[in-house]
């Protein structure tokens, strides 16, 4: 198949996005538009100057810009617009279902109410479901580099509307903030009937993955690439069917690896680990989800394995059995078109 056809095939591939921070979809153009609309002053001369700040040395330098730009999000409508801009990309990239992270602590620190943020994002999902046929939901993330008390307060703020969330997650700067710090917060989230996921093993060690499983009782591990450092843990993650939400372009941009080829995708797949591919913060890392699949194709992973990765993503969603069956049938059709 020609490279143009592979690009098209990977865009059409029915897939789920399981590791996507809605704030990380804020494109520089929209950031400037919202800054203007809301009268927020940003320390950038123009679009070119802002774009020049998108070269990061590591996770922290990315987070500094990411938090700075979030200040332009002020109204419910801003959050709806942000969600719809993402869902348009997701639709173009073959996403059937998106389970989307958001970071309320940042917005609440910026003076917004939890309800405003939640209402705006849910409205975007509702319109997106009608407009693009994408199902999905929200995963509320705790910022691990803020005090645990802040996460404890957030879960209580969220509790009355817990049924409007899919689950909770744990994100932001990883090293020095082990999962076990959030044991009580996760226990409370479980009590509220929420699904549990956490970032672990991106910059942090394999031991953080172990803690996320044993102490937080998560159902998926976000990133998890450093699981590869502990062969026994790789075996366990495979046996228990724990999906890893790997983000190739993010890992390359944040220099977790220098080259996508260094990611242990094939080794994980050969070991039976449920690898998925996702875009993390696509406005910042150079590509939405199909571009992440394409980066793996360029790194030598063949279409049949990429289709298996897409199947993993559909199976690892928190969708109903009926919805999963429908999505997997669409994937079978795709296999019939491109693999036979
Ligand atoms: Zn992430």
């Amino acid at each position: 198949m020609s490279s143009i056809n592979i690009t098209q095939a990977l865009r059409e591939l029915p897939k789920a996005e399981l590791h996507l921070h809605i704030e990380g979809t804020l494109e520089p153009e929209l950031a400037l538009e919202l800054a203007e609309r809301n009268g927020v002053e940003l320390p950038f001369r123009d679009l070119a100057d802002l774009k020049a700040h998108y070269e990061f040395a590591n996770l922290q330098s990315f987070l500094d810009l990411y938090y700075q730009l979030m200040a332009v999000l002020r109204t419910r409508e801003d959050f709806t617009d942000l969600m719809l801009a993402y869902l348009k990309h997701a639709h173009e990239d073959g996403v059937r279902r998106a389970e989307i992270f958001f970071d309320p602590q940042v917005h609440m620190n910026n003076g917004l109410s939890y309800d405003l943020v939640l209402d705006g994002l849910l409205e975007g999902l509702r319109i997106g479901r009608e407009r693009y046929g994408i199902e999905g939901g929200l995963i509320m993330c705790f910022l691990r580099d803020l005090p645990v008390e802040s996460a404890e307060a957030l879960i209580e703020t969220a509790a009355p509307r817990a049924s409007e969330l899919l689950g909770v997650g744990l994100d932001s700067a990883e090293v020095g903030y082990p999962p076990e710090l959030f044991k009580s917060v996760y226990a409370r989230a479980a009590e509220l009937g929420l699904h549990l996921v956490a970032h672990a093993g991106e910059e942090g060690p394999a031991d953080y993955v172990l803690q996320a499983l044993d102490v937080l009782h998560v159902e998926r591990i976000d990133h998890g690439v450093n699981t590869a450092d502990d062969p026994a843990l790789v075996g366990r993650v495979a046996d228990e069917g724990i999906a890893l939400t790997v983000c190739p372009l993010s890992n390359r941009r944040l220099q977790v690896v220098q080259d996508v080829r260094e990611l242990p995708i094939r080794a994980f797949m050969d070991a039976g680990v449920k690898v998925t591919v996702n875009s993390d913060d696509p406005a910042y890392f150079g590509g939405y989800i199909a571009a992440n699949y394409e980066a793996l194709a360029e790194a030598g992973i063949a279409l049949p394995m990429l289709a298996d990765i897409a199947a993993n993503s559909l199976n690892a969603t928190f969708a109903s059995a009926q919805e999963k069956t429908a999505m997997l049938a669409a994937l079978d059709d795709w296999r019939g078109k491109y693999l036979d």
Side-chain angles (χ1 to χ4, degrees):
M1 204 182 298
S2 71
S3 62
I4 291 169
N5 285 346
I6 285 181
T7 300
Q8 184 60 27
L10 291 174
R11 282 195 145 195
E12 286 179 23
L13 179 66
K15 58 182 78 67
E17 175 120 76
L18 304 177
H19 186 154
L20 181 282
H21 302 269
I22 197 62
E23 295 88 351
T25 68
L26 180 58
E27 295 283 351
E29 291 82 359
L30 182 58
L32 292 186
E33 187 187 317
L34 295 179
E36 172 93 27
R37 182 156 107 188
N38 294 322
V40 175
E41 292 268 354
L42 288 177
F44 308 104
R45 286 189 307 278
D46 52 26
L47 187 60
D49 184 34
L50 173 55
K51 284 184 169 175
H53 284 77
Y54 277 60
E55 288 301 323
F56 317 111
N58 54 33
L59 181 59
Q60 193 57 55
S61 58
F62 152 65
L63 288 172
D64 291 344
L65 179 66
Y66 180 72
Y67 291 130
Q68 190 172 32
L69 286 186
M70 274 193 225
V72 305
L73 294 161
R74 301 301 308 164
T75 69
R76 177 183 150 136
E77 184 191 10
D78 297 341
F79 288 91
T80 302
D81 289 351
L82 182 66
M83 178 62 81
L84 284 171
Y86 162 67
L87 290 173
K88 181 170 188 290
H89 284 288
H91 176 62
E92 289 164 359
D93 275 7
V95 172
R96 301 303 171 107
R97 182 178 171 91
E99 298 181 356
I100 299 169
F101 299 136
F102 71 118
D103 284 329
Q105 283 157 299
V106 179
H107 309 304
M108 292 161 78
N109 286 346
N110 287 340
L112 307 183
S113 76
Y114 176 81
D115 286 337
L116 177 146
V117 176
L118 184 62
D119 289 341
L121 294 175
L122 288 173
E123 175 70 358
L125 277 172
R126 189 191 65 72
I127 298 170
R129 192 174 291 123
E130 276 175 15
R131 192 177 291 174
Y132 304 118
I134 298 178
E135 292 295 331
L138 296 173
I139 297 176
M140 180 183 81
C141 283
F142 306 108
L143 299 176
R144 68 203 309 158
D145 48 352
L146 290 182
V148 175
E149 294 73 33
S150 174
E152 287 169 346
L154 177 59
I155 190 70
E156 294 313 327
T157 300
R161 299 182 65 185
S163 66
E164 293 172 76
L165 300 174
L166 271 182
V168 297
L170 186 63
D171 65 4
S172 198
E174 184 183 5
V175 175
Y177 305 98
E180 64 188 4
L181 293 171
F182 296 87
K183 180 179 175 159
S184 65
V185 180
Y186 270 66
R188 176 70 174 128
E191 197 178 278
L192 291 167
L194 292 164
H195 287 290
L196 310 175
V197 302
H199 284 50
E202 177 190 15
E203 291 192 326
D207 181 56
Y208 282 19
V209 175
L210 197 61
Q211 286 182 27
L213 293 174
D214 285 342
V215 182
L216 304 187
H217 305 294
V218 300
E219 299 159 79
R220 297 193 298 246
I221 295 285
D222 297 314
H223 290 299
V225 290
N226 290 341
T227 303
D229 296 337
D230 180 345
L233 183 59
V234 172
R236 176 178 166 191
V237 166
D239 288 347
E240 295 182 7
I242 304 288
L244 305 184
T245 65
V246 179
C247 307
L249 293 178
S250 163
N251 289 163
R252 185 171 70 194
R253 181 62 74 88
L254 296 178
Q255 304 188 23
V256 172
V257 292
Q258 298 305 310
D259 189 306
V260 169
R261 283 181 174 76
E262 294 166 32
L263 288 170
I265 305 274
R266 204 187 307 264
F268 281 152
M269 290 295 283
D270 289 347
V273 172
K274 303 292 186 200
V275 176
T276 71
V277 166
N278 308 272
S279 65
D280 204 4
D281 299 287
Y284 295 87
F285 298 152
Y288 286 80
I289 191 167
N292 279 271
Y293 275 83
E294 198 168 357
L296 294 187
E298 283 164 8
I301 295 186
L303 276 190
M305 188 176 276
L306 293 169
D308 291 344
I309 289 172
N312 287 342
S313 76
L314 301 174
N315 280 311
T317 63
F318 299 131
S320 66
Q322 189 185 13
E323 191 189 332
K324 281 187 191 181
T325 302
M327 295 190 294
L328 290 164
L331 179 58
D332 275 345
D333 291 345
W334 182 93
R335 282 184 165 121
K337 181 174 175 187
Y338 286 106
L339 299 185
D340 294 344

